[in-house]
Amino acid sequence: MEFGEYIRSLREKRNLLLREMAANINMDVAYLSKIERGNRMARREQVIAFAKELKEDENKLIKLWMSEQIVQMIKNEKDSTEILKIAEEKISKIGKGKEIE
């Protein structure tokens, strides 16, 4: 499920109208609608606001949001799987305190 669709499903599950949620997180209704439809990407601070408003695990939402950003960045690259493997190796080195190349 895409990030925006997930936000919409959480909002609807909690019986919040679009305008109610937008007002509660100080966001324009049209902008929130575009995020839910996948026409706009939320910013990190907005993802945190969604988590608080929807009483959802912040880390879960950030992971979903960030993974979608990565997909958007490399979806049209012919070697996207290879790019992800290289990135994973580099992240693993960072976790072990090593310099990345």
Side-chain angles (χ1 to χ4, degrees), residues 26 32 40-42 56 67 89 94:
N26 198 29
L32 177 56
R40 288 280 195 177
M41 185 58 86
E56 187 69 15
S67 67
E89 290 170 8
I94 291 169

Side-chain angles (χ1 to χ4, degrees), residues 57-100:
D57 180 57
E58 185 178 309
N59 287 328
K60 179 180 178 179
L61 284 186
I62 287 176
K63 287 175 190 176
L64 180 61
W65 168 76
M66 198 165 283
S67 67
E68 193 164 306
Q69 287 201 10
I70 293 167
V71 168
Q72 290 301 314
M73 188 183 311
I74 67 170
K75 70 181 181 183
N76 295 321
E77 298 296 329
K78 68 177 181 150
D79 296 323
S80 58
T81 303
E82 183 66 23
I83 292 166
L84 286 175
K85 286 178 185 175
I86 293 167
E88 186 177 23
E89 290 170 8
K90 288 183 178 190
I91 290 168
S92 177
K93 288 178 182 178
I94 291 169
K96 293 176 183 171
K98 296 180 180 177
E99 279 287 318
I100 60 169

Side-chain angles (χ1 to χ4, degrees), residues 13-28:
K13 184 176 162 184
R14 285 157 181 77
N15 295 315
L16 278 171
L17 297 173
L18 190 69
R19 68 175 180 269
E20 289 176 307
M21 183 161 148
N24 291 347
I25 61 174
N26 198 29
M27 181 182 285
D28 182 68

Side-chain angles (χ1 to χ4, degrees), residues 35-61:
I35 290 171
E36 286 188 352
R37 290 192 323 265
N39 297 331
R40 288 280 195 177
M41 185 58 86
R43 294 186 315 271
R44 185 183 193 96
E45 60 270 13
Q46 293 168 327
V47 175
I48 293 167
F50 292 151
K52 289 178 184 171
E53 176 65 20
L54 298 168
K55 297 172 181 53
E56 187 69 15
D57 180 57
E58 185 178 309
N59 287 328
K60 179 180 178 179
L61 284 186

